[in-house]
């Protein structure tokens, strides 16, 4: 069982107007088998939280701690975080020229596990996962995300999730840009990855529609760079009806200048 523990996390970013504090004291614990939904308006800092945990160099940690099973995540390099069991599904997956999906996946699996997977078993696992995500097998020989539609890129992110089997998965607006059919397929993939019960999920989203397919155990309202309310799935339902205005008013501020989502 894995536990991601975030305590009093403060994060700043440099902008043309100077250094801006984006995260203003975030406390959160995610355990294996749990799904936590982070919801909030644009510019509240949700994606900043995701990328800070993953180790994006744009963001400067100015205070607080992030631990995974007692290990200091903030002291790790990006690749060390991945090998420790952290996974980030990006809102805008990048293209990687000259690297095929099949080579990328096997290289990633080898790096995470410390040894190359047995080829025959690996080929079968990749094929099975791609079929479940309704991905054309030809995608395996295409360069990573080159010419992929938005939905295809998101399916590829979930393909990685299913094959790499991390301890903690951070899904940054995985539902962004997906039509109804693609949303169902991607959600089914997340649920398959969750099924064994050893994966903790931090799901970042603006909307409740993905939560119709991926049921959260906990919902956290994120406003002004911090968590301002917490509850169960019923909280997401209230947000669908009432929006974020009451929390924005209570926080005394809206979007954080310089924040990403």
């Amino acid at each position: 069982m894995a536990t991601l523990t975030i305590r009093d996390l403060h994060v700043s970013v440099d902008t043309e107007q100077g250094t801006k504090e984006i995260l203003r004291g975030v406390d959160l614990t995610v355990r294996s088998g749990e799904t936590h939904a982070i919801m909030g308006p644009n510019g509240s800092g949700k994606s900043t939280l995701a990328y800070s945990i993953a180790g994006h160099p744009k963001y400067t940690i100015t205070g607080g701690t992030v631990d995974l099973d007692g290990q200091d995540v903030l002291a790790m390099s990006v690749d060390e975080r991945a090998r420790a069991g952290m996974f980030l599904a990006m809102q805008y997956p990048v293209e990687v020229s000259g690297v095929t999906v099949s080579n990328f996946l096997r290289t990633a699996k080898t790096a995470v596990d410390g040894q190359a997977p047995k080829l025959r078993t690996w080929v079968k696992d990749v094929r099975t996962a791609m079929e479940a995500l309704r991905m054309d097998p030809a995608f395996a020989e295409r360069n990573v995300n080159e010419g992929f539609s938005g939905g295809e890129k998101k399916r590829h992110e979930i393909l990685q999730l299913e094959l790499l089997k991390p301890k903690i998965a951070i899904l940054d607006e995985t539902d962004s840009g997906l039509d109804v059919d693609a949303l169902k397929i991607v959600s089914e993939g997340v649920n398959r990855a969750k099924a064994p019960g050893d994966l903790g999920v931090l799901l970042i989203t603006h909307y409740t529609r993905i939560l119709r397919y991926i049921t959260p155990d906990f919902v956290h309202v994120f406003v002004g760079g911090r968590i301002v309310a917490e509850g169960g799935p019923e909280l997401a339902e209230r947000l669908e009806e009432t929006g974020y205005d009451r929390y924005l008013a209570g926080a005394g501020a809206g979007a954080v200048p310089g924040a990403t989502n």
Side-chain angles (χ1 to χ4, degrees):
M1 301 294 286
T3 303
L4 176 69
T5 306
I6 303 167
R7 290 291 175 265
D8 196 28
L9 186 64
H10 291 253
V11 175
S12 296
V13 64
D14 291 331
T15 71
E16 293 180 356
Q17 292 75 38
T19 300
K20 301 292 185 181
E21 186 178 35
I22 307 301
L23 300 188
R24 302 174 175 178
V26 177
D27 292 291
L28 184 64
T29 301
V30 181
R31 298 179 179 85
S32 296
E34 297 178 349
T35 299
H36 293 250
I38 300 284
M39 303 186 69
N42 285 327
S44 59
K46 301 186 304 298
S47 291
T48 295
L49 175 63
Y51 287 100
S52 298
I53 297 170
H56 195 297
K58 173 183 176 181
Y59 304 100
T60 301
I61 310 298
T62 58
T65 60
V66 180
D67 294 335
L68 178 61
D69 295 336
Q71 293 182 291
D72 183 1
V73 171
L74 301 181
M76 300 178 186
S77 62
V78 173
D79 60 303
E80 287 172 339
R81 297 180 199 207
R83 287 197 294 271
M86 303 287 296
F87 176 87
L88 172 65
M90 295 181 286
Q91 182 179 357
Y92 302 109
V94 298
E95 297 181 1
V96 183
S97 299
V99 180
T100 65
V101 168
S102 59
N103 285 340
F104 171 78
L105 290 171
R106 193 160 193 262
T107 299
K109 184 66 172 176
T110 300
V112 168
D113 289 357
Q115 60 182 3
K118 294 181 179 179
L119 190 56
R120 181 177 298 179
T121 303
W122 176 248
V123 169
K124 180 181 178 182
D125 289 346
V126 173
R127 184 184 303 116
T128 299
M130 290 184 74
E131 288 176 355
L133 288 165
R134 302 182 199 177
M135 297 179 69
D136 187 330
F139 274 75
E141 300 312 315
R142 292 175 59 178
N143 289 340
V144 174
N145 291 326
E146 278 195 347
F148 287 24
S149 68
E152 290 163 347
K153 289 179 179 180
K154 296 301 177 70
R155 293 187 203 197
H156 181 225
E157 294 286 285
I158 303 307
L159 177 65
Q160 296 170 52
L161 172 64
E162 292 200 64
L163 293 171
L164 297 180
K165 302 185 185 306
K167 296 177 181 177
I168 301 291
I170 304 167
L171 310 181
D172 184 25
E173 299 197 35
T174 297
D175 52 341
S176 176
L178 296 182
D179 60 30
V180 174
D181 291 333
L183 178 62
K184 290 181 180 179
I185 292 167
V186 164
S187 298
E188 288 168 358
V190 174
N191 287 331
R192 281 193 301 273
K194 288 174 48 185
D198 54 0
L199 173 67
V201 175
L202 184 60
L203 175 61
I204 295 171
T205 184
H206 290 295
Y207 309 108
T208 59
R209 64 175 192 154
I210 194 170
L211 303 184
R212 299 168 190 163
Y213 306 105
I214 303 173
T215 303
D217 299 292
F218 305 96
V219 175
H220 311 271
V221 181
F222 210 78
V223 172
R226 59 171 65 94
I227 293 171
V228 298
E230 297 177 299
E234 73 284 348
L235 178 54
E237 295 174 4
R238 290 204 302 271
L239 290 172
E240 178 77 5
E241 297 174 358
T242 64
Y244 299 108
D245 284 351
R246 60 179 291 198
Y247 300 106
L248 289 167
V256 179
T260 50
N261 293 326

